[in-house]
Tab-separated table of all heavy atoms in Angstrom:
chain	number	residue	atom	x	y	z
X	141	VAL	N	11.555	-1.830	-2.405
X	141	VAL	CA	10.971	-3.139	-2.720
X	141	VAL	C	10.794	-3.331	-4.204
X	141	VAL	O	10.925	-4.454	-4.732
X	141	VAL	CB	9.692	-3.411	-1.883
X	141	VAL	CG1	8.601	-2.400	-2.211
X	141	VAL	CG2	9.189	-4.858	-2.146
X	144	GLY	N	14.176	-3.987	-5.438
X	144	GLY	CA	14.559	-5.334	-4.910
X	144	GLY	C	13.959	-6.458	-5.719
X	144	GLY	O	14.652	-7.418	-6.032
X	145	LEU	N	12.685	-6.405	-6.057
X	145	LEU	CA	11.992	-7.441	-6.795
X	145	LEU	C	12.339	-7.348	-8.258
X	145	LEU	O	12.611	-8.374	-8.931
X	145	LEU	CB	10.496	-7.408	-6.584
X	145	LEU	CG	10.022	-7.705	-5.161
X	145	LEU	CD1	8.504	-7.619	-5.066
X	145	LEU	CD2	10.456	-9.103	-4.725
X	149	ALA	N	15.835	-9.555	-7.409
X	149	ALA	CA	15.240	-10.918	-7.470
X	149	ALA	C	14.817	-11.322	-8.844
X	149	ALA	O	14.038	-12.236	-9.073
X	149	ALA	CB	14.055	-10.997	-6.490
X	152	ASN	N	14.343	-14.916	-10.255
X	152	ASN	CA	13.461	-15.877	-9.586
X	152	ASN	C	12.024	-15.874	-10.063
X	152	ASN	O	11.482	-14.813	-10.415
X	152	ASN	CB	13.366	-15.521	-8.069
X	152	ASN	CG	14.666	-15.801	-7.350
X	152	ASN	OD1	14.765	-16.822	-6.677
X	152	ASN	ND2	15.687	-14.934	-7.515
X	153	ALA	N	11.431	-17.015	-10.021
X	153	ALA	CA	9.949	-17.089	-10.125
X	153	ALA	C	9.434	-16.806	-8.718
X	153	ALA	O	9.915	-17.383	-7.735
X	153	ALA	CB	9.487	-18.448	-10.590
X	154	ILE	N	8.498	-15.898	-8.585
X	154	ILE	CA	7.951	-15.569	-7.243
X	154	ILE	C	6.543	-16.089	-7.189
X	154	ILE	O	5.717	-15.805	-8.090
X	154	ILE	CB	8.052	-14.030	-7.007
X	154	ILE	CG1	9.561	-13.662	-6.933
X	154	ILE	CG2	7.350	-13.600	-5.717
X	154	ILE	CD1	9.858	-12.206	-6.809
X	155	ALA	N	6.237	-16.805	-6.108
X	155	ALA	CA	4.927	-17.415	-6.018
X	155	ALA	C	3.958	-16.551	-5.200
X	155	ALA	O	2.785	-16.548	-5.501
X	155	ALA	CB	5.074	-18.771	-5.291
X	156	GLN	N	4.482	-15.838	-4.269
X	156	GLN	CA	3.581	-15.061	-3.382
X	156	GLN	C	4.315	-13.858	-2.817
X	156	GLN	O	5.461	-13.952	-2.482
X	156	GLN	CB	3.060	-15.964	-2.269
X	156	GLN	CG	2.136	-15.271	-1.339
X	156	GLN	CD	1.215	-16.229	-0.571
X	156	GLN	OE1	0.840	-17.236	-1.047
X	156	GLN	NE2	0.824	-15.803	0.657
X	157	VAL	N	3.584	-12.750	-2.631
X	157	VAL	CA	4.071	-11.610	-1.846
X	157	VAL	C	3.023	-11.277	-0.837
X	157	VAL	O	1.837	-11.260	-1.091
X	157	VAL	CB	4.446	-10.375	-2.702
X	157	VAL	CG1	5.695	-10.497	-3.463
X	157	VAL	CG2	3.313	-10.012	-3.687
X	158	ASP	N	3.508	-10.979	0.389
X	158	ASP	CA	2.595	-10.570	1.490
X	158	ASP	C	3.172	-9.316	2.017
X	158	ASP	O	4.407	-9.181	2.182
X	158	ASP	CB	2.664	-11.617	2.631
X	158	ASP	CG	2.044	-12.906	2.274
X	158	ASP	OD1	2.800	-13.764	1.738
X	158	ASP	OD2	0.864	-13.118	2.454
X	159	GLY	N	2.335	-8.333	2.321
X	159	GLY	CA	2.908	-7.073	2.806
X	159	GLY	C	1.992	-6.278	3.706
X	159	GLY	O	0.774	-6.354	3.657
X	212	LEU	N	2.875	-4.178	-6.967
X	212	LEU	CA	3.807	-5.222	-6.536
X	212	LEU	C	3.590	-6.530	-7.275
X	212	LEU	O	4.553	-7.176	-7.690
X	212	LEU	CB	3.578	-5.538	-5.043
X	212	LEU	CG	4.468	-4.911	-3.989
X	212	LEU	CD1	4.151	-5.510	-2.645
X	212	LEU	CD2	5.935	-5.077	-4.314
X	216	ALA	N	6.279	-8.532	-9.340
X	216	ALA	CA	6.660	-9.862	-8.801
X	216	ALA	C	6.396	-10.960	-9.797
X	216	ALA	O	7.167	-11.888	-9.984
X	216	ALA	CB	5.953	-10.113	-7.498
X	217	PHE	N	5.214	-10.915	-10.496
X	217	PHE	CA	4.751	-12.060	-11.287
X	217	PHE	C	4.867	-11.810	-12.766
X	217	PHE	O	4.686	-12.755	-13.582
X	217	PHE	CB	3.339	-12.424	-10.967
X	217	PHE	CG	3.036	-12.549	-9.491
X	217	PHE	CD1	1.877	-11.987	-8.933
X	217	PHE	CD2	3.876	-13.239	-8.654
X	217	PHE	CE1	1.590	-12.109	-7.562
X	217	PHE	CE2	3.575	-13.364	-7.321
X	217	PHE	CZ	2.451	-12.815	-6.765
X	255	ALA	N	-0.669	-11.280	-2.572
X	255	ALA	CA	-0.846	-11.565	-3.989
X	255	ALA	C	-0.124	-12.861	-4.256
X	255	ALA	O	0.980	-13.103	-3.793
X	255	ALA	CB	-0.243	-10.450	-4.837
X	275	HIS	N	5.668	-14.358	13.263
X	275	HIS	CA	5.707	-14.132	11.823
X	275	HIS	C	6.382	-12.787	11.579
X	275	HIS	O	6.159	-11.867	12.335
X	275	HIS	CB	4.313	-14.145	11.278
X	275	HIS	CG	4.214	-14.062	9.777
X	275	HIS	ND1	4.469	-12.943	9.074
X	275	HIS	CD2	3.824	-15.021	8.866
X	275	HIS	CE1	4.291	-13.203	7.770
X	275	HIS	NE2	3.923	-14.439	7.626
X	276	PRO	N	7.228	-12.651	10.543
X	276	PRO	CA	7.914	-11.387	10.345
X	276	PRO	C	6.982	-10.157	10.232
X	276	PRO	O	7.391	-9.048	10.528
X	276	PRO	CB	8.744	-11.580	9.031
X	276	PRO	CG	8.467	-12.928	8.580
X	276	PRO	CD	7.619	-13.701	9.585
X	277	LEU	N	5.757	-10.388	9.787
X	277	LEU	CA	4.845	-9.212	9.640
X	277	LEU	C	4.150	-8.841	10.937
X	277	LEU	O	3.605	-7.783	11.060
X	277	LEU	CB	3.801	-9.476	8.541
X	277	LEU	CG	4.383	-9.670	7.125
X	277	LEU	CD1	3.244	-9.892	6.103
X	277	LEU	CD2	5.208	-8.454	6.692
X	286	ALA	N	6.343	-3.492	5.419
X	286	ALA	CA	7.183	-4.660	5.215
X	286	ALA	C	6.579	-5.536	4.128
X	286	ALA	O	5.354	-5.608	4.020
X	286	ALA	CB	7.309	-5.429	6.501
X	287	VAL	N	7.447	-6.126	3.358
X	287	VAL	CA	6.986	-7.046	2.302
X	287	VAL	C	7.785	-8.325	2.372
X	287	VAL	O	9.023	-8.269	2.500
X	287	VAL	CB	7.178	-6.390	0.877
X	287	VAL	CG1	6.859	-7.391	-0.203
X	287	VAL	CG2	6.332	-5.174	0.752
X	288	VAL	N	7.098	-9.438	2.380
X	288	VAL	CA	7.748	-10.750	2.356
X	288	VAL	C	7.464	-11.360	0.967
X	288	VAL	O	6.351	-11.395	0.533
X	288	VAL	CB	7.161	-11.672	3.443
X	288	VAL	CG1	7.799	-13.066	3.323
X	288	VAL	CG2	7.390	-11.129	4.807
X	289	ALA	N	8.538	-11.776	0.320
X	289	ALA	CA	8.385	-12.389	-1.012
X	289	ALA	C	9.149	-13.702	-1.025
X	289	ALA	O	10.197	-13.840	-0.388
X	289	ALA	CB	8.941	-11.459	-2.101
X	290	GLU	N	8.561	-14.689	-1.710
X	290	GLU	CA	9.226	-16.016	-1.749
X	290	GLU	C	9.686	-16.241	-3.194
X	290	GLU	O	8.870	-16.413	-4.090
X	290	GLU	CB	8.201	-17.118	-1.391
X	290	GLU	CG	7.556	-16.988	-0.017
X	290	GLU	CD	8.451	-17.535	1.102
X	290	GLU	OE1	9.418	-18.242	0.766
X	290	GLU	OE2	8.118	-17.266	2.251
X	291	GLY	N	10.992	-16.310	-3.380
X	291	GLY	CA	11.522	-16.614	-4.684
X	291	GLY	C	11.937	-18.075	-4.788
X	291	GLY	O	12.304	-18.682	-3.767
X	292	ASP	N	11.876	-18.696	-5.980
X	292	ASP	CA	12.119	-20.131	-6.027
X	292	ASP	C	13.608	-20.495	-5.787
X	292	ASP	O	13.896	-21.556	-5.284
X	292	ASP	CB	11.631	-20.733	-7.377
X	292	ASP	CG	12.188	-20.093	-8.620
X	292	ASP	OD1	12.859	-19.046	-8.495
X	292	ASP	OD2	11.941	-20.600	-9.707
X	294	VAL	N	16.028	-17.857	-4.440
X	294	VAL	CA	16.568	-17.051	-3.324
X	294	VAL	C	15.912	-17.423	-2.004
X	294	VAL	O	16.489	-17.230	-0.944
X	294	VAL	CB	16.439	-15.566	-3.662
X	294	VAL	CG1	14.995	-15.069	-3.582
X	294	VAL	CG2	17.294	-14.732	-2.723
X	295	GLY	N	14.708	-17.976	-2.022
X	295	GLY	CA	13.968	-18.278	-0.792
X	295	GLY	C	13.249	-17.002	-0.325
X	295	GLY	O	12.833	-16.150	-1.093
X	296	ARG	N	13.065	-16.916	1.004
X	296	ARG	CA	12.298	-15.794	1.542
X	296	ARG	C	13.059	-14.505	1.598
X	296	ARG	O	14.214	-14.469	2.112
X	296	ARG	CB	11.768	-16.164	2.948
X	296	ARG	CG	11.009	-15.032	3.577
X	296	ARG	CD	10.425	-15.404	4.930
X	296	ARG	NE	9.183	-16.107	4.796
X	296	ARG	CZ	8.370	-16.386	5.873
X	296	ARG	NH1	8.753	-16.038	7.077
X	296	ARG	NH2	7.253	-17.031	5.677
X	297	LEU	N	12.477	-13.452	1.091
X	297	LEU	CA	13.083	-12.103	1.191
X	297	LEU	C	12.186	-11.236	2.068
X	297	LEU	O	10.965	-11.328	1.944
X	297	LEU	CB	13.154	-11.451	-0.177
X	297	LEU	CG	14.150	-12.079	-1.177
X	297	LEU	CD1	13.887	-11.517	-2.571
X	297	LEU	CD2	15.549	-11.819	-0.754
X	298	LEU	N	12.792	-10.398	2.902
X	298	LEU	CA	12.000	-9.521	3.727
X	298	LEU	C	12.495	-8.073	3.483
X	298	LEU	O	13.709	-7.799	3.640
X	298	LEU	CB	12.166	-9.861	5.177
X	298	LEU	CG	11.555	-8.902	6.220
X	298	LEU	CD1	10.036	-8.802	6.068
X	298	LEU	CD2	11.908	-9.306	7.613
X	299	PHE	N	11.598	-7.225	3.059
X	299	PHE	CA	11.916	-5.820	2.854
X	299	PHE	C	11.144	-5.047	3.962
X	299	PHE	O	9.946	-5.243	4.078
X	299	PHE	CB	11.423	-5.301	1.482
X	299	PHE	CG	12.016	-6.065	0.332
X	299	PHE	CD1	11.399	-7.157	-0.151
X	299	PHE	CD2	13.167	-5.587	-0.304
X	299	PHE	CE1	11.945	-7.896	-1.244
X	299	PHE	CE2	13.683	-6.280	-1.354
X	299	PHE	CZ	13.072	-7.452	-1.855
Side-chain angles (χ1 to χ4, degrees):
V141 62
L145 294 179
N152 289 259
I154 293 175
Q156 179 157 329
V157 284
D158 294 87
L212 261 188
F217 311 135
H275 187 287
L277 296 181
V287 174
V288 176
E290 301 279 348
D292 56 351
V294 72
R296 178 177 275 190
L297 292 168
L298 172 64
F299 302 87

